[in-house]
Amino acid sequence: MSFLLEVKNLHIRRGGVQVIEMPSFAIQAEEKVAIVGPNGAGKSSLLLGLACLIERVSGTINFEGVEVCSQNEMAYRRKIAVVFQDPLLFDTTVLDNVAEGLCIRGMRRSEARDVARDNLELFKIGHLSGRSAHKLSGGEAQRVSLARAFAVRPQLLLMDEPFSSLDLPTRIVLAEDLGRILHESGTAAIIATHDRIEAFHVVDRLVVMDRGAVVQQGSPKEVLEQPVNAFVAAFKRTTGAG
């Protein structure tokens, strides 16, 4: 089986402490995966490692069958997009925030703005295009961040707790919209979360992590109905699955 992204023997240390020990991990093209687990499980470190934003001690990352190394790392990073918990928007208009990534990639600004408008409409915020990005609600700002990520048409979208700072009704609506857009676009995605609401609306597969290692993985239904141990069962209880 060929994978879009495949990791082997990945080890990551932060502050001298090993936070990721992962013999293998892979995602297929168009697959949506949620990395779930409590704070300190290693979810964010894994995503940052996959994005080459923090250094790995050892291990390989292969993308489309090619190992990611220093010589081709920038080309790889242009094929992915990362969405963080905090939107990290520029102090300019919503439209220019979404267009900026395309301009950096060499697209003419007029064309980039046309693409940006399409992506704002996709996330139902076209009416905000002229507003200052620093005058948005939390949900609006995260929609802008997602529109900016989708505008560059990534083959793989990495999302680190993108809804955790939002209230429950906003989280549910945004997760539903994101799940729909991901499946319609065929974009592969990995989302780190501790919330099963996000996981159920967005993904095909759950990967449960604890202390930097994978404990169980499978479909959301399989993991929540057939936990392999008390730790995974506790995830079901704490997230309210039933």
Side-chain angles (χ1 to χ4, degrees):
M1 179 184 296
S2 60
F3 296 105
L4 177 65
L5 179 142
E6 185 175 17
V7 170
K8 295 181 179 179
N9 299 316
L10 181 66
H11 292 79
I12 296 175
R13 289 180 176 271
R14 303 186 74 174
V17 177
Q18 181 161 286
V19 293
I20 296 294
E21 182 179 0
M22 187 164 288
S24 65
F25 173 80
I27 181 172
Q28 299 179 52
E30 301 192 14
E31 188 180 15
K32 288 76 177 163
V33 176
I35 309 293
V36 300
N39 291 337
K43 305 184 301 294
S44 296
S45 295
L46 176 60
L47 259 65
L48 291 172
L50 295 179
C52 296
L53 295 176
I54 58 175
E55 187 175 356
R56 55 188 184 272
V57 175
S58 62
T60 59
I61 298 174
N62 294 300
F63 192 81
E64 297 184 305
V66 177
E67 183 176 348
V68 177
C69 59
S70 57
Q71 287 76 19
N72 63 9
E73 183 178 299
M74 186 56 65
Y76 161 67
R77 288 174 64 176
R78 286 178 176 270
K79 296 178 181 180
I80 68 174
V82 184
V83 174
F84 298 100
Q85 178 178 337
D86 296 321
L88 303 177
L89 301 179
F90 303 121
D91 187 13
T92 184
T93 66
V94 164
L95 181 64
D96 283 339
N97 262 276
V98 178
E100 192 60 34
L102 296 165
C103 294
I104 291 172
R105 285 164 167 77
M107 186 179 288
R108 294 196 312 270
R109 184 162 292 275
S110 60
E111 184 180 353
R113 284 180 169 176
D114 288 340
V115 174
R117 289 188 184 94
D118 290 341
N119 282 274
L120 289 173
E121 292 295 340
L122 189 66
F123 281 92
K124 303 176 182 178
I125 49 173
H127 61 289
L128 299 176
S129 63
R131 185 179 298 182
S132 167
H134 286 182
K135 295 182 179 180
L136 302 174
S137 69
E140 290 169 343
Q142 200 57 281
R143 284 180 181 270
V144 174
S145 181
L146 287 164
R148 182 171 62 186
F150 270 88
V152 300
R153 300 184 65 181
Q155 291 175 254
L156 175 63
L157 180 62
L158 304 174
M159 296 172 282
D160 186 14
E161 302 273 7
F163 311 138
S164 63
S165 63
L166 307 179
D167 61 77
L168 180 59
T170 302
R171 289 208 318 269
I172 293 173
V173 173
L174 187 47
E176 289 175 344
D177 286 344
L178 176 61
R180 171 182 54 81
I181 292 166
L182 281 170
H183 283 86
E184 289 177 354
S185 66
T187 306
I190 303 174
I191 178 171
T193 180
H194 62 274
D195 194 318
R196 64 107 177 173
I197 293 173
E198 298 166 18
F200 267 72
H201 282 102
V202 176
V203 307
D204 310 304
R205 174 161 54 106
L206 288 183
V207 176
V208 184
M209 288 186 65
D210 182 32
R211 292 174 288 186
V214 173
V215 180
Q216 183 178 0
Q217 60 180 308
S219 70
K221 180 180 175 67
E222 177 186 356
V223 171
L224 293 178
E225 292 186 358
Q226 303 174 42
V228 296
N229 58 25
F231 175 82
V232 179
F235 168 76
K236 173 179 177 177
R237 291 194 299 272
T238 57
T239 55

